[in-house]
Amino acid sequence: MVIRDLFGGLGRGLGGLTGNAGGFFEPTVRLGVTGLSRAGKTVFITSLVANLMDRARMHGLRAEAEGRIRGVWLQPQPDDTVPRFDYETHLAALTGSNPHWPESTRAVSELRLSFKLQPGGFFGGLSGPQVLHLDIVDYPGEWILDLPLLDKTYDAWSAEVLASLQDREEAIEFRTLLEKVDPTVSLDEQQAKALAHSFTDYLGRARGAGYSDCTPGRFLLPGELAGSPALTFAPLSRGAVSRRGSLGREFERRFEAYKSQVVKPFFRDHFARIDRQIVLVDALGAIHSGPRAVEDMRRAMTNILTSFRPGRTSWLGALLGTRRVERILFAATKADHLHHTQHLRLTAIMAAMMREAKDRADFAGANTAAMSIAAVRATIEETVRHNGNMLEAVRGRLLDTGKEAAFYAGELPENPAHFLVPAREGAAKWLDADFGVMRFAPNAQGIRTGDGLPHIRLDKAVEFLIGDRL
Ligand code: GDP
């Protein structure tokens, strides 16, 4: 194991310098894009690439404002075994005659974008343009949330999961099924399948209700592993050590196989090579779901931070060695659902959640930031009169009906503590507020060739993530 991990470390060091398929000694930055399912990864990467190739809407990017980006182009995918991010199909979905949202992320994919840059500063003017490769790696956030599993035994994980689902109505069926299970009986594959199925069902519903602590992540996004034994187990309360061949013992074995054959390779092959990371967060969705979902999101952020910059004493820190992700941006997505007058409040909520997460994480420090963005802006702003009050709203075409409508999500509190304190204290709902969400269709009208896609603060996000390398 150690040797394999060492190999992972070596390969990654060379990859960073030479960029594998790129020219020799052309530097490469690997940008990880993650977030839970439907957080907006696919839309983000599509808009990022479109707006980097056509930069009319990217003035917040310093290198662009200084006129130093001479060209940006797509390259063949450098990692032969990783699927290429299907940029062209996703862009066509957003900008075709019937604009629609692209298919979401289901697994890892990658894309290489190359920049021809004129170096900045006094001496920069004296040298010729240089090439920088940006490898964009898209992967489901559910998979990162699995990393803490590597530190846990089956019994510890089971105890945690069973405690968390105790008061969740999404788990009623699984709990009922579990009551009839005796972990000491011999394994029966049909029973194992039924348990795994019911547990997966619960995870899906919990995700739908806004919870983020839904491990194992591959149960929700199994890819080619669907139905394999490594994905056919569920948490059990075993009590005394169970005998060989029993349901409890077999589930423990499968849990260990999941860790070593699913979680660890992902971590070694993809995650450990990332230099910069954006974590997309559907904060508005969580706020809409209520305080529990917000607290759960904060907990997920803690896990994510721990995974990226673990303290040296942890197993992960030891594996990563000196190479760690240098910048992490937590971005609240879909900010186009709010009038810009509320964006600062959304950012303040993200920043406060991040601060709490950092305080609790085993985190060795990296440059972190919080921001509110919309990778693709689907709305325009509008002030509407409602019950005699003027509301700062947004207008767009509704996804369900195709009709235009104005929408007011609710007023976010000026002080993030008004959300975070009840969330931490386990409140069931917000005291005096109600937040809506609405799904708008993408709006490609008025996009001229060479303009990129309309967005909110995508340029600022890119400046934070890679501005120092451009
Ligand atoms: P993924 O699962 O993380 O890849 O999520 P997607 O990128 O597929 O986004 C999920 C859904 O969120 C999309 O189908 C859109 O409905 C919505 N969405 C994502 N980004 C934006 C955005 O910038 N603005 C708006 N209005 N909706 C967005």
Coordinates of all heavy atoms in Angstrom, one line a residue, residues 35-44 101-105 138 333-337 373-379 399 439-440, ligand 1:
G35 N -18.5 19.7 -5.7 CA -19.7 20.2 -5.0 C -20.7 19.0 -5.1 O -20.5 18.1 -5.9
L36 N -21.7 19.0 -4.2 CA -22.6 17.9 -4.2 C -23.4 17.9 -5.5 O -23.4 18.9 -6.2 CB -23.5 18.0 -3.0 CG -22.8 17.8 -1.7 CD1 -23.8 18.0 -0.5 CD2 -22.1 16.5 -1.6
S37 N -24.0 16.8 -5.8 CA -24.8 16.7 -7.0 C -25.8 17.8 -7.1 O -26.4 18.3 -6.1 CB -25.6 15.3 -6.8 OG -26.5 15.2 -7.7
R38 N -25.9 18.4 -8.3 CA -26.7 19.5 -8.6 C -26.3 20.9 -8.0 O -27.0 21.9 -8.1 CB -28.2 19.3 -8.3 CG -28.7 18.0 -8.7 CD -29.9 17.8 -9.5 NE -30.4 18.9 -10.3 CZ -30.3 18.9 -11.6 NH1 -29.6 17.9 -12.2 NH2 -30.8 19.8 -12.3
A39 N -25.1 20.9 -7.5 CA -24.5 22.2 -7.0 C -24.2 23.1 -8.2 O -24.2 24.3 -8.0 CB -23.3 21.9 -6.2
G40 N -24.0 22.6 -9.4 CA -23.7 23.4 -10.5 C -22.3 23.2 -11.1 O -21.8 24.1 -11.8
K41 N -21.7 22.1 -11.0 CA -20.4 21.8 -11.5 C -20.3 21.9 -13.0 O -19.5 22.5 -13.6 CB -19.8 20.4 -11.0 CG -19.7 20.3 -9.5 CD -19.3 19.0 -9.1 CE -20.3 17.9 -9.3 NZ -21.5 18.0 -8.5
T42 N -21.3 21.2 -13.6 CA -21.3 21.1 -15.1 C -21.5 22.4 -15.7 O -20.8 22.8 -16.7 CB -22.4 20.1 -15.6 OG1 -22.3 18.9 -14.8 CG2 -22.3 19.8 -17.0
V43 N -22.4 23.2 -15.2 CA -22.7 24.5 -15.7 C -21.5 25.4 -15.5 O -21.1 26.2 -16.3 CB -24.0 25.1 -15.0 CG1 -24.2 26.5 -15.4 CG2 -25.2 24.2 -15.3
F44 N -20.9 25.3 -14.3 CA -19.7 26.1 -14.0 C -18.6 25.8 -15.0 O -18.0 26.8 -15.5 CB -19.2 25.8 -12.5 CG -18.0 26.5 -12.2 CD1 -18.0 27.8 -11.8 CD2 -16.7 25.9 -12.3 CE1 -16.8 28.5 -11.5 CE2 -15.5 26.6 -12.0 CZ -15.6 27.9 -11.6
W101 N -30.5 23.2 -19.6 CA -29.4 22.9 -18.7 C -28.8 21.6 -19.1 O -29.5 20.7 -19.5 CB -29.8 22.8 -17.2 CG -30.3 24.1 -16.7 CD1 -31.6 24.4 -16.4 CD2 -29.6 25.3 -16.5 NE1 -31.8 25.7 -16.0 CE2 -30.6 26.3 -16.0 CE3 -28.3 25.7 -16.6 CZ2 -30.2 27.6 -15.7 CZ3 -27.9 27.0 -16.2 CH2 -28.9 27.9 -15.8
P102 N -27.4 21.5 -19.1 CA -26.8 20.3 -19.5 C -27.0 19.1 -18.5 O -27.4 19.3 -17.4 CB -25.3 20.7 -19.6 CG -25.2 21.9 -18.7 CD -26.5 22.5 -18.7
E103 N -26.6 17.9 -19.0 CA -26.6 16.8 -18.1 C -25.6 17.0 -17.0 O -24.5 17.4 -17.2 CB -26.1 15.5 -18.9 CG -27.1 15.0 -19.9 CD -28.0 13.9 -19.2 OE1 -27.5 13.2 -18.3 OE2 -29.2 13.9 -19.6
S104 N -26.0 16.6 -15.7 CA -25.1 16.8 -14.6 C -23.9 15.8 -14.5 O -23.9 14.8 -15.1 CB -25.9 16.7 -13.3 OG -26.9 17.7 -13.3
T105 N -23.0 16.2 -13.6 CA -21.8 15.4 -13.3 C -22.3 14.0 -12.7 O -23.0 14.1 -11.7 CB -20.9 16.1 -12.3 OG1 -20.5 17.3 -12.9 CG2 -19.7 15.2 -11.9
D138 N -13.3 17.6 -12.9 CA -14.7 17.7 -12.4 C -15.0 16.4 -11.6 O -14.8 15.3 -12.2 CB -15.6 17.7 -13.6 CG -17.1 17.7 -13.3 OD1 -17.5 18.0 -12.2 OD2 -17.9 17.3 -14.2
T333 N -23.5 29.0 -5.3 CA -23.9 29.1 -6.8 C -25.3 29.7 -7.0 O -26.0 29.9 -6.0 CB -23.8 27.7 -7.4 OG1 -24.6 26.8 -6.7 CG2 -22.4 27.2 -7.5
K334 N -25.6 29.9 -8.2 CA -27.0 30.3 -8.6 C -27.4 31.6 -8.0 O -28.6 31.8 -7.6 CB -28.0 29.2 -8.3 CG -27.5 27.8 -8.7 CD -28.5 26.7 -8.4 CE -27.8 25.3 -8.5 NZ -28.6 24.2 -8.2
A335 N -26.4 32.5 -7.8 CA -26.7 33.8 -7.1 C -27.7 34.6 -8.0 O -28.2 35.6 -7.5 CB -25.4 34.6 -6.9
D336 N -27.9 34.2 -9.3 CA -28.8 34.9 -10.1 C -30.3 34.7 -9.6 O -31.2 35.3 -10.2 CB -28.7 34.5 -11.6 CG -28.9 33.0 -11.8 OD1 -28.5 32.3 -10.9 OD2 -29.4 32.7 -12.9
H337 N -30.5 33.9 -8.6 CA -31.8 33.8 -8.1 C -32.1 34.9 -7.1 O -33.3 35.1 -6.6 CB -32.0 32.5 -7.3 CG -32.1 31.3 -8.2 ND1 -31.1 30.7 -8.8 CD2 -33.2 30.6 -8.5 CE1 -31.5 29.7 -9.5 NE2 -32.8 29.6 -9.4
I373 N -21.7 33.4 -6.7 CA -21.5 33.5 -8.1 C -22.7 32.9 -8.8 O -23.5 32.2 -8.2 CB -20.3 32.8 -8.6 CG1 -20.4 31.2 -8.4 CG2 -19.0 33.3 -7.9 CD1 -19.4 30.4 -9.2
A374 N -22.9 33.3 -10.1 CA -23.7 32.5 -11.0 C -22.9 32.2 -12.2 O -22.4 33.1 -12.9 CB -25.0 33.3 -11.3
A375 N -22.7 30.9 -12.5 CA -21.9 30.5 -13.6 C -22.6 31.0 -14.9 O -21.9 31.4 -15.8 CB -21.6 29.0 -13.6
V376 N -23.9 30.8 -14.9 CA -24.7 31.3 -16.0 C -25.9 32.0 -15.5 O -26.7 31.5 -14.7 CB -25.2 30.1 -16.9 CG1 -26.2 30.5 -17.9 CG2 -24.1 29.4 -17.6
R377 N -25.9 33.3 -15.8 CA -27.0 34.1 -15.3 C -28.2 33.9 -16.1 O -28.3 34.2 -17.3 CB -26.5 35.6 -15.4 CG -27.5 36.5 -15.0 CD -27.0 38.0 -15.1 NE -27.7 38.8 -14.2 CZ -27.3 39.9 -13.6 NH1 -26.0 40.2 -13.8 NH2 -28.1 40.5 -12.8
A378 N -29.3 33.4 -15.5 CA -30.5 33.1 -16.2 C -31.6 34.1 -16.0 O -32.7 34.0 -16.5 CB -31.0 31.7 -15.8
T379 N -31.3 35.2 -15.2 CA -32.4 36.1 -14.8 C -31.9 37.6 -15.1 O -30.7 37.8 -15.2 CB -32.7 36.0 -13.3 OG1 -31.5 36.4 -12.6 CG2 -33.2 34.6 -12.9
L399 N -38.5 27.0 -15.6 CA -38.1 25.7 -16.3 C -39.4 24.8 -16.5 O -39.5 24.2 -17.5 CB -37.1 25.0 -15.4 CG -36.2 24.0 -16.1 CD1 -35.4 24.7 -17.2 CD2 -35.2 23.4 -15.1
R439 N -36.8 27.2 -10.3 CA -35.8 26.8 -11.3 C -36.1 27.6 -12.6 O -37.2 27.5 -13.2 CB -35.8 25.3 -11.6 CG -35.2 24.6 -10.4 CD -35.0 23.1 -10.7 NE -33.9 22.9 -11.7 CZ -33.8 21.9 -12.4 NH1 -34.7 20.9 -12.4 NH2 -32.8 21.7 -13.3
F440 N -35.0 28.4 -13.0 CA -35.2 29.1 -14.3 C -34.5 28.4 -15.4 O -33.5 27.7 -15.2 CB -34.5 30.5 -14.1 CG -35.3 31.4 -13.2 CD1 -34.8 31.6 -11.9 CD2 -36.5 32.0 -13.5 CE1 -35.5 32.4 -11.0 CE2 -37.2 32.7 -12.6 CZ -36.7 33.0 -11.3
Ligands
GDP1 P1 -23.8 19.2 -11.1 O1 -24.6 18.1 -10.6 O2 -23.0 19.8 -9.9 O3 -23.0 19.0 -12.3 O4 -24.9 20.4 -11.4 P2 -25.3 21.1 -12.7 O5 -24.2 21.9 -13.2 O6 -25.8 20.1 -13.7 O7 -26.4 22.1 -12.2 C1 -27.6 21.5 -11.7 C2 -28.8 22.5 -11.9 O8 -28.6 23.7 -11.2 C3 -28.9 22.9 -13.4 O9 -29.6 22.0 -14.1 C4 -29.6 24.3 -13.3 O10 -31.0 24.1 -13.1 C5 -29.0 24.8 -11.9 N1 -27.9 25.7 -12.1 C6 -26.6 25.5 -12.1 N2 -25.8 26.6 -12.3 C7 -26.7 27.6 -12.4 C8 -26.6 29.0 -12.5 O11 -25.5 29.6 -12.6 N3 -27.7 29.8 -12.5 C9 -29.0 29.2 -12.4 N4 -30.1 30.0 -12.5 N5 -29.1 27.8 -12.3 C10 -28.0 27.1 -12.3

